[in-house]
Amino acid sequence: MTGKIAIIAACLVFGGLVAQRQPGWPGTYECDGTGERGPYRAKLDIDELTETYRLRWMMESGHLFTGVGLVIGVAANDLAVSYSDFTSTVGLAIYAKDVSGELHGRWTSIGADRVFTERCRRRGVRAARGSTGRERSWTTTH
């Protein structure tokens, strides 16, 4: 019985250490992906609101997409996002976050007949938050 308790305690301690090392979702990311028109690059900003996240993708072409996300999954390592460009595109993206904070996304949009991929690497830009939890100003750390 004592051995089982020690194993459970070790799992809880080790699991807590792994969870603490993982960065949060908010920040600025540089993304590379493949879509219907081929490869693309984009800047992704993720802002934490109260219980949701606001996402903004600025494509190299200048096209802007905006989305709202919810954390899902047992370990809170996945982000489900609906997005739109407010003209013709509406879609869904699911991001998995690895221990380094890199995002691995799978996405599609209405009218597409397949799933596409995107990889996003964190940059040193974070939103400073006021007491309401809403974005107040931008600060650059790189």
Side-chain angles (χ1 to χ4, degrees), residues 17 44 48 83 94 98 117 131-133:
L17 292 174
L44 168 62
E48 184 175 5
Y83 67 88
I94 305 290
D98 66 23
T117 60
S131 59
T132 64

Side-chain angles (χ1 to χ4, degrees), residues 79-110:
L79 189 66
V81 179
S82 64
Y83 67 88
S84 177
D85 65 356
F86 298 104
T87 58
S88 61
T89 303
V90 175
L92 171 69
I94 305 290
Y95 288 97
K97 180 174 48 168
D98 66 23
V99 293
S100 72
E102 187 169 287
L103 308 182
H104 302 273
R106 294 174 38 113
W107 63 272
T108 192
S109 60
I110 292 177

Side-chain angles (χ1 to χ4, degrees), residues 57-65:
W57 294 261
M58 178 57 73
M59 311 305 286
E60 262 187 345
S61 66
H63 202 95
L64 176 67
F65 292 90

Side-chain angles (χ1 to χ4, degrees), residues 10-66:
C11 289
L12 290 173
V13 169
F14 179 72
L17 292 174
V18 169
Q20 289 174 3
R21 281 186 286 191
Q22 191 158 22
W25 291 97
T28 297
Y29 299 80
E30 295 294 329
C31 302
D32 295 296
T34 304
E36 290 181 292
R37 295 182 183 102
Y40 66 85
R41 294 182 57 116
K43 176 182 148 191
L44 168 62
D45 290 316
I46 301 178
D47 299 317
E48 184 175 5
L49 303 177
T50 304
E51 294 183 54
T52 63
Y53 294 85
R54 179 180 55 222
L55 292 85
R56 289 173 298 208
W57 294 261
M58 178 57 73
M59 311 305 286
E60 262 187 345
S61 66
H63 202 95
L64 176 67
F65 292 90
T66 302

